[in-house]
Amino acid sequence: MTILVTGGAGYIGSHTVVELLQAGHTPIIADDLSNARADVIDRIETITGQRPVFYQTDCKDAAALRRIFSSHPIDAVIHFAAFKAVGESVKLPLKYYRNNLDTALTLLEVMEEFGCKNFVFSSSATVYGPNNPYPYREEMKAIESSSPYGWTKVMIERILTDYCTAKPDFSAVLLRYFNPIGAHESGLLGDEPNGIPNNLMPYIGRVAAGQLEKLTVFGGDYDTPDGTCQRDYLHVVDLAVGHLKALQYCAAHKGAEAFNLGTGSGVSVLELVNAFQSANGIDLPYTVGPRREGDLPAFWADASKAKTLLGWEAVHTVEDMCRSSWNFAKNAR
């Protein structure tokens, strides 16, 4: 299959492109590099021996997308391209609504023009909002969120569901991620955001490498065993493999279908810090600061639906995630 991967130079996108190439697919990357690096394409080629086609493109640009669809027989789209920082979205909601919604709508309109009917969407566990009990299950109502970032995911899921109702031959798989961390075993691909990281593991990596003074843990007074937030951390390679499974499902089914991708276990921030220190033999300086707006105390997945219908489950341990993250961070350029 020829697959357009929007945001394919980013963290999750680049790992997914590697899995696609190794599975014999032809990924076409469209990425504006607003939160990615151009040399990721070189690294993908080093890992796989194949160089994916790359377009530096803002996916809100319909004319640019039309040029891509005119040049390649696109069978399916995996849509990663979006702004993703929860805290920033609270401060800059218009930026997030404009970018994330416009990108998805423009992409769907161009897909319709070219008769492309398979769509895998990078959604989020944030669609479950602050009131659903955990573990989160797909049949729960996903109609609220605790941040503008999360609301964009809720809205795009609604758009896709309505579009599938209007177009019965269209297939959309909504992948609700939990918390991807880790890096490719080669050490060439990992979470490498521009500027100060918003996510926990790349921040830990930069502290461990001496690039940042210390880690700030946001909140130590939550109603959790050690007072810090609990999350369902999964290895990014497991997540990437989940996209291949979703493509197979997408090709065989019609309509919109949601799947959780997670391990089914909650790990606290301090537990992750301690696992990183233990797995890598590193002392990590940290301090506990105030809570971060938009964060929930705890959540994790019930991923049994993905196991049953997609044949997918996470296989890497927290220690695997910590070791691979440090292997990437200590060599990051």
Side-chain angles (χ1 to χ4, degrees):
M1 295 174 68
T2 300
I3 299 119
L4 176 62
V5 185
T6 70
Y11 174 45
I12 304 170
S14 61
H15 286 82
T16 301
V17 168
V18 167
E19 296 299 322
L20 289 169
L21 286 167
Q22 292 178 336
H25 296 294
T26 303
I28 309 295
I29 297 174
D31 197 306
D32 66 1
L33 301 182
S34 61
N35 197 33
R37 295 172 49 152
D39 66 353
V40 164
I41 309 305
D42 300 326
R43 301 184 213 175
I44 291 171
E45 184 178 17
T46 298
I47 292 168
T48 66
Q50 303 173 73
R51 189 172 187 85
V53 175
F54 168 63
Y55 293 89
Q56 186 171 346
T57 298
D58 184 338
C59 292
K60 298 189 297 295
D61 184 341
L65 288 178
R66 289 189 187 101
R67 287 192 290 271
I68 295 173
F69 274 84
S70 296
S71 301
H72 305 277
I74 306 294
D75 299 301
V77 173
I78 302 178
H79 181 43
F80 294 106
F83 294 149
K84 62 176 185 176
V86 170
E88 182 185 55
S89 79
V90 175
K91 297 176 182 177
L92 301 171
L94 295 184
K95 173 183 177 180
Y96 274 69
Y97 286 120
R98 172 64 70 187
N99 182 76
N100 293 6
L101 295 177
D102 276 6
T103 300
L105 287 166
T106 302
L107 181 58
L108 285 167
E109 288 168 350
V110 174
M111 288 177 67
E112 182 172 296
E113 289 178 29
F114 286 85
C116 184
K117 300 175 181 179
N118 297 299
F119 192 97
V120 176
F121 176 51
S122 171
S123 191
S124 168
T126 60
V127 302
Y128 290 107
N131 298 315
N132 278 313
Y134 48 84
Y136 292 157
R137 299 184 305 277
E138 291 88 348
E139 64 267 23
M140 292 175 174
K141 288 185 177 181
I143 55 171
E144 58 182 331
S145 186
S146 58
S147 70
Y149 159 75
W151 273 111
T152 68
K153 298 298 186 181
V154 171
M155 292 176 181
I156 295 168
E157 283 201 9
R158 182 72 259 170
I159 290 166
L160 287 166
T161 300
D162 289 344
Y163 187 68
C164 286
T165 299
K167 303 287 184 179
D169 59 347
F170 193 86
S171 179
V173 175
L174 320 175
L175 295 181
R176 295 172 179 169
Y177 308 164
F178 281 69
N179 292 74
I181 59 174
H184 192 268
E185 63 181 2
S186 66
L188 294 174
L189 294 177
D191 198 352
E192 193 174 17
N194 296 329
I196 302 298
N198 288 294
N199 293 334
L200 177 59
M201 186 55 83
Y203 206 109
I204 287 175
R206 292 191 189 180
V207 172
Q211 298 171 9
L212 295 172
E213 180 183 359
K214 62 183 177 181
L215 170 70
T216 298
V217 176
F218 294 113
D221 59 349
Y222 287 101
D223 185 18
T224 60
D226 62 17
T228 64
C229 291
Q230 291 177 302
R231 295 292 183 264
D232 188 338
Y233 297 102
L234 75 156
H235 200 293
V236 65
V237 173
D238 285 335
L239 182 55
V241 171
H243 290 79
L244 269 68
K245 299 290 188 180
L247 275 175
Q248 295 168 7
Y249 188 88
C250 201
H253 293 77
K254 303 302 178 187
E257 191 81 37
F259 293 94
N260 290 335
L261 296 184
T263 67
S265 299
V267 175
S268 76
V269 174
L270 287 183
E271 285 175 331
L272 187 66
V273 168
N274 291 332
F276 186 93
Q277 294 181 126
S278 176
N280 298 304
I282 292 173
D283 290 327
L284 199 71
Y286 68 88
T287 185
V288 178
R291 297 183 180 190
R292 182 174 59 180
E293 193 171 4
D295 278 343
L296 297 177
F299 58 80
W300 53 84
D302 178 338
S304 57
K305 181 179 178 181
K307 182 177 181 179
T308 300
L309 295 184
L310 299 184
W312 175 92
E313 62 181 327
V315 298
H316 291 84
T317 67
V318 172
E319 289 72 22
D320 293 334
M321 302 175 209
C322 291
R323 280 190 290 268
S324 63
S325 293
W326 176 233
N327 184 44
F328 173 75
K330 67 184 178 183
N331 297 310
R333 290 162 282 178

